[in-house]
Amino acid sequence: MRYLRRFFVLLNLFLVSASLVGQESGSGFVIEMTLDKVVEDARNQSLSSIIAKHKFLVSYWEFRTYKAQFLPSLSLKANLGEYNRSISALRDPNTGEFHYVVDNYLHNSASLVLSQNIPFTGGTLSLISSLSRLDQYTPNRNIVYNSQPIYLSYSQPLFTYNKLKWEKQIEPVKYEMAKRAYVEAIEDAVVSSVALFFQLLLANENLELAIKREENDRQLLQIAEERYKLGTLSRDELLQISHQLLNDDLRIRDCRMNVEMLMVRLKNFLGYNDNVIIVPKVPEFEGSLVIDKEEFISRAEQSSSHLLQKKIERLEAEAAVAQAKSQRGISVSLYAQFGMTQVGADIASAYRKPIDQEVIGLSVTLPILDWGLGRGKVQVAKSQLDVINMTLEQQTQEWYQTLLMKVSRFNLMGHQCLTSKEADKIGKERYQTARNRFTNGTISITELNTAQDNMDNSSLQYLEKIGDFWVVYYEICRLSLYDYINNSDLIEDYDSILDNIGN
């Protein structure tokens, strides 16, 4: 009887999958889906994991761009073909009269620039070599070369907001958070796929129970008809069983549709095509796992992106305060240039016996009257920092409470699963006893239906409990980035993430 029931379940699953494949293909590739395979597929090939990988790539290149600011940069700058033919006003220094003269020249220049940002001060140091040529056409044809073989340039803002200094504090934390967030996104995909897997398992169990119930009701109808002929069963009870058979057919159709929808959702999530038939396998549950609360919280503190995100928010708020203060007070910029220069009628003479050149300047901006604009910006930034600090403190406390509740709930679920498993076993034995008593005529059909309902509910409750157990387990793994069954970190070397993405 057991093998016959299994045959009908597999047949229904085949019919469900065949309806998904389409009329042109009457069969598909059957995969016996275990819990471990669901987890593996979710991490390696689900759409959510692929999206997470590409999001991490964005963060990786953003970090690479940030780091490039602190490396020397070499560039060639050129101004080619600048032709000017116009009339300009020229004032005679002796008489004060204006005379209009014709400008007619062509200017070309090129510079080779080696620059280095100084993050500690926010300044820029440059080593430059340049050459320019001026072709003058009026009033006389004249060619002048101006060379600057080498000169050193340094620009330094003083008492201003040092963007590079703050980025050096914030950007590495952002990148570290991005690496952890990537793994967390993968584990989110695992949690979602495990939930879908057990929903499909539950739907299959409902379908199996519906088929089994119809099979039992057909057998009971035969027994009831015999008892009705013997006068030991009323017609009302006989009609009740007949009515149950009609409801059984409706229930099977509903369950089959539910299996179909959930199978499509799971296949789409895991990246399978329509030709795949998923046959979920109920995982064995032999014992319970207890996770130490202090160990779990400690691992979550070390591995979760949550605290890093809060640190970034606080640093960005502090940077906003520093920027507002720098814009309020005095602003000073220093510029200095030291090197060699020369002019000549040809390139060779432009580089012959160069003379030294020095340029140094200091610009100062001091706001005298701004109607409280600068002070207001500083107060706004400080208030926002206070709000962020208080909000982050509250959110951090709530995060710790969530961790405690999650692990406490999980430590109770193992015992609940074992209890549900025992209840499922008892429910099956009780139904078999009730069935024998109904055959003997010692109980009514109502009592038999009650026993069957209890048996079905116990089976479904057991699947629900182990489903909840594994979903919460993988949620805990996601929060701490640690596998407590295999005693291993989910990611041991963050640098290998890029290799995994490349594969």
CSV table of all heavy atoms in Angstrom, one decimal, residues 285-290 411 413-415 418 469:
chain,number,residue,atom,x,y,z
A,285,PHE,N,15.9,14.6,10.5
A,285,PHE,CA,16.2,15.4,11.7
A,285,PHE,C,16.3,14.5,12.9
A,285,PHE,O,15.3,13.9,13.4
A,285,PHE,CB,15.0,16.4,11.9
A,285,PHE,CG,15.3,17.4,13.0
A,285,PHE,CD1,15.9,18.6,12.6
A,285,PHE,CD2,14.9,17.2,14.3
A,285,PHE,CE1,16.2,19.6,13.6
A,285,PHE,CE2,15.2,18.1,15.3
A,285,PHE,CZ,15.8,19.3,14.9
A,286,GLU,N,17.5,14.3,13.3
A,286,GLU,CA,17.8,13.3,14.4
A,286,GLU,C,18.0,13.9,15.7
A,286,GLU,O,17.8,13.3,16.8
A,286,GLU,CB,19.0,12.4,14.0
A,286,GLU,CG,18.9,11.7,12.7
A,286,GLU,CD,17.7,10.6,12.8
A,286,GLU,OE1,17.4,10.2,13.9
A,286,GLU,OE2,17.2,10.3,11.7
A,287,GLY,N,18.5,15.1,15.7
A,287,GLY,CA,18.8,15.8,17.0
A,287,GLY,C,18.7,17.3,16.9
A,287,GLY,O,18.3,17.8,15.9
A,288,SER,N,19.0,17.9,18.0
A,288,SER,CA,18.9,19.4,18.1
A,288,SER,C,20.3,20.0,18.2
A,288,SER,O,21.2,19.4,18.8
A,288,SER,CB,18.0,19.8,19.2
A,288,SER,OG,18.5,19.4,20.5
A,289,LEU,N,20.4,21.2,17.7
A,289,LEU,CA,21.6,22.0,17.8
A,289,LEU,C,21.4,23.2,18.7
A,289,LEU,O,20.4,23.9,18.6
A,289,LEU,CB,22.0,22.5,16.4
A,289,LEU,CG,23.2,23.4,16.4
A,289,LEU,CD1,24.5,22.7,16.8
A,289,LEU,CD2,23.4,24.0,14.9
A,290,VAL,N,22.3,23.4,19.7
A,290,VAL,CA,22.2,24.5,20.6
A,290,VAL,C,23.4,25.4,20.4
A,290,VAL,O,24.5,24.9,20.3
A,290,VAL,CB,22.2,24.0,22.1
A,290,VAL,CG1,22.2,25.2,23.0
A,290,VAL,CG2,20.9,23.1,22.3
A,411,ASN,N,17.3,27.9,19.8
A,411,ASN,CA,17.6,26.9,20.8
A,411,ASN,C,16.4,26.1,21.3
A,411,ASN,O,16.6,25.0,21.9
A,411,ASN,CB,18.4,27.5,22.0
A,411,ASN,CG,19.8,27.9,21.6
A,411,ASN,OD1,20.4,27.4,20.6
A,411,ASN,ND2,20.4,28.9,22.3
A,413,MET,N,13.8,25.5,19.2
A,413,MET,CA,13.1,24.9,18.1
A,413,MET,C,13.5,23.4,17.9
A,413,MET,O,12.7,22.6,17.3
A,413,MET,CB,13.4,25.7,16.8
A,413,MET,CG,12.8,27.1,16.9
A,413,MET,SD,13.2,28.1,15.4
A,413,MET,CE,12.0,27.3,14.2
A,414,GLY,N,14.7,23.1,18.3
A,414,GLY,CA,15.2,21.7,18.1
A,414,GLY,C,14.3,20.7,18.9
A,414,GLY,O,13.9,19.7,18.4
A,415,HIS,N,14.0,21.1,20.1
A,415,HIS,CA,13.1,20.3,21.0
A,415,HIS,C,11.7,20.2,20.4
A,415,HIS,O,11.1,19.2,20.4
A,415,HIS,CB,13.1,20.9,22.4
A,415,HIS,CG,12.2,20.1,23.3
A,415,HIS,ND1,12.4,18.9,23.8
A,415,HIS,CD2,10.9,20.5,23.8
A,415,HIS,CE1,11.4,18.5,24.6
A,415,HIS,NE2,10.5,19.4,24.6
A,418,LEU,N,11.6,17.7,17.6
A,418,LEU,CA,11.6,16.3,18.0
A,418,LEU,C,10.3,15.9,18.6
A,418,LEU,O,9.8,14.8,18.4
A,418,LEU,CB,12.7,16.1,19.1
A,418,LEU,CG,14.2,16.2,18.6
A,418,LEU,CD1,15.1,16.2,19.8
A,418,LEU,CD2,14.5,15.2,17.6
A,469,PHE,N,12.8,25.5,11.6
A,469,PHE,CA,14.2,25.3,12.2
A,469,PHE,C,15.3,25.7,11.3
A,469,PHE,O,16.2,26.4,11.6
A,469,PHE,CB,14.3,23.9,12.7
A,469,PHE,CG,15.6,23.5,13.2
A,469,PHE,CD1,16.0,23.7,14.5
A,469,PHE,CD2,16.6,22.9,12.3
A,469,PHE,CE1,17.2,23.3,15.0
A,469,PHE,CE2,17.9,22.6,12.8
A,469,PHE,CZ,18.2,22.8,14.2
